[in-house]
Amino acid sequence: MILIVTNKINAHADLIIQKMHELKIPFFRLNTEDLLTKNSFILSYDKNTFNGSIRNPLRKLDFSKIKSVWYRRPQRPHLTNIICNNDERIFIEKETEKVLEGLYSQKV
């Protein structure tokens, strides 16, 4: 499975994904600006191993199935729909960055 980390308006990613569909290459597109609004995570950390999965409205990805990652111009997650004060917003942003760092650092 190929994890494509990008944004919603990335024309290059759109073209590659179209070709992947044609070739029936399995992939999971993660639009990072939608990270907190259109995705759900199950995360665990045990014995120096980061495990889990991510689900969006179209598909689910178990982290153990990732064989390759294409990192193409991700954006910061949008927090506009999340009601919180400034301290909470800072906490959410930092925690989100750590989740992404954990995901990016996985050895496949």
Side-chain angles (χ1 to χ4, degrees):
M1 176 75 71
I2 298 172
L3 172 61
I4 301 170
V5 181
T6 189
N7 66 72
K8 292 189 283 194
I9 58 171
N10 189 304
H12 291 100
D14 293 341
L15 291 171
I16 295 296
I17 286 170
Q18 179 181 348
K19 191 65 171 177
M20 292 174 75
H21 273 298
E22 292 171 10
L23 297 173
K24 299 183 185 325
I25 297 171
F27 68 92
F28 185 96
R29 181 177 185 153
L30 178 60
N31 294 325
T32 51
E33 69 270 36
D34 292 337
L35 187 70
L36 300 175
T37 57
K38 295 186 179 174
N39 298 280
S40 61
F41 287 87
I42 297 173
L43 305 171
S44 67
Y45 188 80
D46 185 40
K47 297 180 184 175
N48 297 323
T49 303
F50 183 76
N51 298 303
S53 64
I54 183 171
R55 180 184 300 271
N56 67 25
L58 300 176
R59 46 180 60 96
K60 177 183 176 187
L61 172 65
D62 290 317
F63 296 160
S64 64
K65 304 290 185 202
I66 298 172
K67 299 298 177 200
S68 183
V69 177
W70 184 33
Y71 187 78
R72 174 73 183 162
R73 297 191 177 169
Q75 294 181 1
R76 296 190 76 155
H78 291 168
L79 300 177
T80 54
N81 295 333
I82 299 173
I83 299 170
C84 58
N85 65 38
N86 192 52
D87 290 340
E88 293 166 333
R89 182 171 304 280
I90 291 168
F91 175 78
I92 292 168
E93 288 173 351
K94 287 183 180 182
E95 289 298 301
T96 303
E97 287 175 14
K98 292 300 179 190
V99 168
L100 288 172
E101 286 174 13
L103 182 59
Y104 299 156
S105 68
Q106 291 310 293
K107 293 183 172 112
V108 293

